Amino acid sequence: MHESEIQLVQASFAKVAPIADQAAGIFYDRLFEIAPHVKPYFKGDMKVQGAKLMTTLGVVVKGLRDLDKIVPVAQQLAIGHVAYGVTPEDYAPVGEALIYALKTGLGDDFTPDTANAWIRAYETLSSAMIEAAYSKAAE
């Protein structure tokens, strides 16, 4: 990722952090709307799940300048999600729900450049996660 993209992602996430609970709720509402088949993957309290999501996003966003450290952690997370039934196809609606939640939460602050930076960050991480999880599952 380019430095300008990293700055956009980090600055926009800093604006989302104060409304983390609301953003997580928007994310999961949208995810379950566009991909209802994933709802059974989530067994616990959705407020707790939302807090985990936002914490994980915060760690990833903070570490975008050091992908060599962040990618292996994300890959291990993805490998663990295979046991819940997550498929490679599930990553697309997750990305869509993430962008939707950010756009909804940030309003006019979610510029096209910011959207593109988030899409690039998500594609970078999700492709590494899919490769790690499903090449391992195939073995």
Side-chain angles (χ1 to χ4, degrees):
M1 290 186 67
H2 300 290
E3 179 61 25
S4 60
E5 294 170 320
I6 293 169
Q7 289 175 1
L8 284 169
V9 169
Q10 290 179 337
S12 60
F13 189 76
K15 293 176 185 175
V16 170
I19 59 163
D21 289 345
Q22 180 185 358
I26 294 167
F27 169 82
Y28 284 112
D29 287 347
R30 181 66 177 163
L31 179 61
F32 298 154
E33 178 184 328
I34 62 174
H37 69 277
V38 305
K39 195 166 186 171
Y41 300 165
F42 301 92
K43 306 276 189 233
D45 182 330
M46 289 308 294
K47 275 210 169 290
V48 172
Q49 182 64 37
K52 287 180 185 178
L53 168 72
M54 297 308 289
T55 298
T56 302
L57 272 176
V59 170
V60 169
V61 165
K62 185 176 180 181
L64 285 175
R65 286 187 181 85
D66 198 357
L67 287 176
D68 290 342
K69 289 184 181 172
I70 294 298
V71 168
V73 174
Q75 289 173 322
Q76 288 304 310
L77 185 66
I79 290 166
H81 280 75
V82 173
Y84 297 118
V86 175
T87 68
E89 294 77 23
D90 293 329
Y91 284 79
V94 167
E96 183 182 329
L98 174 63
I99 298 304
Y100 178 85
L102 291 164
K103 181 177 176 55
T104 302
L106 292 171
D108 291 341
D109 286 341
F110 197 66
T111 66
D113 286 343
T114 302
N116 288 333
W118 272 98
I119 290 167
R120 183 170 161 103
Y122 184 76
E123 288 175 349
T124 297
L125 285 169
S126 65
S127 64
M129 292 170 75
I130 291 167
E131 183 180 334
Y134 300 98
S135 66
K136 291 273 186 200
E139 292 173 8

